């Protein structure tokens, strides 16, 4: 029970057990390519490369405009981290065979545990672009450092973007193309390392400082040089210090807002991560500008807390009702109390195993504890009733009756307990996705029943 109390104080609370699905995706972008070209130039080559990895259960792919997605599902026994490393190694081997203008392939594992746990709405009486800059540069970086937070994504934001609107008629008049403008912006606005310069014992690092300091300076970048003049960006285009096109919108009370969606890391506890975020949020609110507001608009831990609390209440009431039923049949408060002690003793001791095994208090483990409430008291009832019978019929004192009564039915109680364990333990060895979820159920039930044998 000491170990059980120690473990209970350190147990995490979650909705379901932590289960890893061995599914790896390879996402590759080939700008401007048609689906047929993506299929032949990217998807087929990636499929051919990863097809030799052991343990593949299913291989799927989707080729669309400019995008290839290859999904590799492995057998459940495959370690998802090992599978991801093997896929990444195979993809790296064929990089030189892929088109030169592709973006680097993204190899990622499907992680059902890395889910949004809380959403924060950032609002102020300012333009959306300015709110986005504050949320991205200040709030997001502070929240990403919270223990258990894996990623912070922004919804409804509008980041700063320098837009250059090219006039096709002016381009034709000057005899240049859009490619010339693009090349000029890329070559005339850059900062590159220039190596090192040694002068005696001194060594200097050289850099080419060619990046424009202000947006207005982009207008003066030369595109082509003619005999009598130089064509600059402002001659053929309009330069605007604007914002990117909005692809998502978020509103709070009908007012535009910027939403910060926080995803937890795989294997972390939802309730603990949310508590850490709320603690950090208290500090951030004291540092916010006067007109900024940050509100919690979605909190998945509320459902988790409510669900686990409901099951815990069922556990407590189940134990009380079981004790009442025992009292109705034994008609003795003292023997009822002694028998009912097996319920909290077995349950509390089981918390120690749940902690050692790395489980959490979730719907599955709490369900097991709830179901075994009526089972763990069975052995105690049988033993206490036999001891009570020997005291009444044979006139033995309490010590002798306990020794003889327990010895008399010890083998029968052991047989009852082992038959129950033989019923529930195989659940812990089930295969497939259901087995991943239910393994903690079988282990928890079996351990609680074995503890009840020791108690009885």
């Amino acid at each position: 029970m000491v170990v059980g109390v120690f473990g209970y104080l350190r147990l995490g609370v979650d909705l379901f057990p932590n289960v890893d699905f061995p599914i790896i995706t390879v996402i590759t972008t080939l700008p401007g390519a048609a689906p047929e070209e993506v299929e032949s130039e990217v998807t087929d080559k990636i499929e051919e490369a990863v097809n030799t990895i052991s343990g593949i259960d299913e291989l799927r792919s989707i080729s669309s405009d400019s995008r290839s997605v290859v999904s590799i599902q492995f057998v459940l026994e495959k370690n998802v981290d090992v599978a991801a490393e093997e896929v990444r190694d195979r993809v790296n081997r064929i990089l030189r065979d892929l088109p030169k203008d592709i973006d680097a392939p993204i190899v990622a594992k499907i992680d059902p545990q890395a889910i949004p746990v809380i959403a924060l709405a950032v609002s102020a009486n300012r333009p959306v672009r300015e709110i986005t800059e504050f949320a991205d540069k200040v709030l997001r970086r502070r929240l990403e450092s919270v223990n258990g937070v894996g990623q912070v994504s922004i919804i409804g934001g509008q980041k700063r973007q320098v837009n250059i609107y090219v006039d096709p008629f002016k381009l034709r008049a000057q005899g240049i193309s859009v490619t010339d403008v693009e090349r000029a912006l890329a070559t005339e606005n850059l900062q590159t390392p220039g190596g090192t310069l040694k002068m005696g014992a001194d060594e200097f690092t050289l850099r080419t400082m060619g990046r424009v300091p202000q947006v207005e300076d982009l207008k003066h970048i030369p595109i082509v040089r003619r005999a009598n003049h130089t064509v600059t960006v402002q001659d053929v285009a309009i330069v605007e210090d604007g914002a990117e096109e909005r692809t998502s919108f978020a509103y709070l009370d009908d007012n535009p807002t910027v939403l910060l969606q926080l995803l937890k890391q795989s294997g972390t506890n939802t309730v603990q991560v949310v508590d850490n975020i709320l603690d950090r949020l208290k500090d951030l609110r004291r540092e916010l500008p006067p007109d900024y507001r940050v509100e919690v608009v979605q909190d998945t831990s509320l459902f988790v807390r409510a669900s686990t609390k409901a099951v815990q209440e069922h556990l407590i009431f189940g134990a009380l009702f079981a004790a009442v039923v025992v009292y109705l049949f034994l008609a003795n408060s003292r023997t009822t109390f002694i028998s009912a002690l097996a319920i909290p003793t077995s349950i509390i001791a089981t918390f120690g195993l749940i902690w050692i095994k790395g489980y959490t208090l979730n719907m599955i483990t709490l369900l097991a504890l709830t179901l075994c409430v009526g089972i763990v008291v069975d052995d105690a009832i049988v033993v206490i009733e036999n001891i009570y019978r020997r005291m009444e019929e044979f006139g033995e004192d309490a010590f002798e009756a306990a020794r003889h009564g327990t010895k008399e039915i010890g083998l029968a109680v052991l047989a009852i307990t082992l038959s129950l364990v033989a019923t529930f333990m195989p659940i812990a060895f089930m295969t497939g996705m259901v087995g991943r979820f239910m393994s903690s159920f079988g282990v928890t039930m079996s351990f609680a029943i074995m503890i009840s044998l020791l108690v009885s």
Side-chain angles (χ1 to χ4, degrees), residues 50-353:
V50 302
N51 197 38
T52 57
I53 300 175
S54 62
I56 292 181
D57 185 38
E58 190 175 86
L59 184 62
R60 292 174 176 265
S61 66
I62 299 175
S63 299
S64 56
D65 285 333
S66 308
R67 187 179 177 89
S68 166
V69 179
V70 179
S71 179
I72 310 116
Q73 180 176 342
F74 293 85
V75 294
L76 290 175
E77 293 73 23
K78 184 84 171 183
N79 185 292
V80 65
D81 294 321
V82 174
E85 193 61 35
E86 290 180 351
V87 171
R88 194 173 290 110
D89 179 61
R90 295 295 197 284
V91 172
N92 289 337
R93 292 182 186 179
I94 63 164
L95 282 178
R96 60 179 178 273
D97 300 328
L98 299 177
K100 302 299 182 183
D101 51 346
I102 66 166
D103 295 338
I106 300 174
V107 179
K109 58 183 179 181
I110 300 297
D111 192 354
Q113 300 298 324
I115 57 175
V117 294
I118 194 171
L120 307 175
V122 185
S123 56
N125 190 20
R126 304 190 184 191
V128 174
R129 172 185 144 175
E130 190 173 339
I131 301 175
T132 305
E133 286 289 314
F134 180 77
D136 184 41
K137 298 296 194 307
V138 180
L139 295 180
R140 182 178 63 84
R141 297 181 183 181
R142 293 287 299 276
L143 292 171
E144 281 181 338
S145 62
V146 174
N147 188 24
V149 174
Q151 182 183 356
V152 179
S153 57
I154 298 178
I155 299 175
Q158 193 175 23
K159 294 183 178 180
R160 180 191 182 191
Q161 178 175 284
V162 178
N163 300 313
I164 299 179
Y165 301 101
V166 181
D167 189 329
F169 298 104
K170 292 181 179 180
L171 286 178
R172 184 188 303 173
Q174 296 290 347
I176 57 179
S177 64
V178 175
T179 307
D180 296 327
V181 179
E182 181 184 6
R183 187 183 303 112
L185 291 170
T187 55
E188 299 291 339
N189 178 33
L190 80 166
Q191 182 173 305
T192 58
T196 58
L197 176 65
K198 294 183 178 180
M199 298 179 62
D202 298 327
E203 183 173 326
F204 301 93
T205 300
L206 302 180
R207 286 188 301 161
T208 302
M209 307 295 289
R211 190 176 295 277
V212 296
Q214 297 179 354
V215 176
E216 290 294 322
D217 296 332
L218 289 173
K219 298 179 180 180
H220 308 298
I221 290 180
I223 301 175
V224 293
R225 291 178 174 82
R226 301 284 167 75
N228 55 352
H229 73 284
T230 300
V231 180
T232 61
V233 172
Q234 67 179 350
D235 294 331
V236 295
I238 299 174
V239 179
E240 176 194 66
D241 186 2
E244 65 181 6
E245 183 180 357
R246 296 186 69 178
T247 56
S248 63
F249 294 83
Y251 292 90
L252 177 64
D253 298 331
D254 293 332
N255 297 317
T257 186
V258 175
L259 204 65
L260 293 177
Q261 203 170 46
L262 285 75
L263 282 69
K264 73 184 184 84
Q265 294 175 347
S266 177
T268 54
N269 178 250
T270 300
V271 174
Q272 185 61 48
V273 172
V274 171
D275 289 340
N276 294 340
I277 294 171
L278 294 178
D279 290 341
R280 177 64 59 84
L281 192 57
K282 292 179 182 177
D283 299 333
L284 288 175
R285 280 174 173 158
R286 290 193 292 266
E287 303 171 7
L288 288 175
D291 57 334
Y292 272 89
R293 289 188 306 148
V294 179
E295 300 181 36
V296 178
V297 294
Q298 184 182 13
D299 185 356
T300 58
S301 70
L302 296 178
F303 179 71
V304 176
R305 295 176 202 266
S307 301
T308 53
K309 183 180 179 181
V311 180
Q312 288 172 345
E313 290 176 353
H314 297 164
L315 179 61
I316 295 172
F317 283 116
L320 293 176
F321 292 149
V324 170
V325 172
V326 172
Y327 178 76
L328 292 177
F329 283 90
L330 295 182
N332 187 296
S333 58
R334 185 177 180 183
T335 54
T336 300
F337 177 74
I338 296 172
S339 302
L341 277 178
I343 298 176
T345 306
S346 302
I347 298 299
I348 292 173
T350 307
F351 287 139
L353 174 79

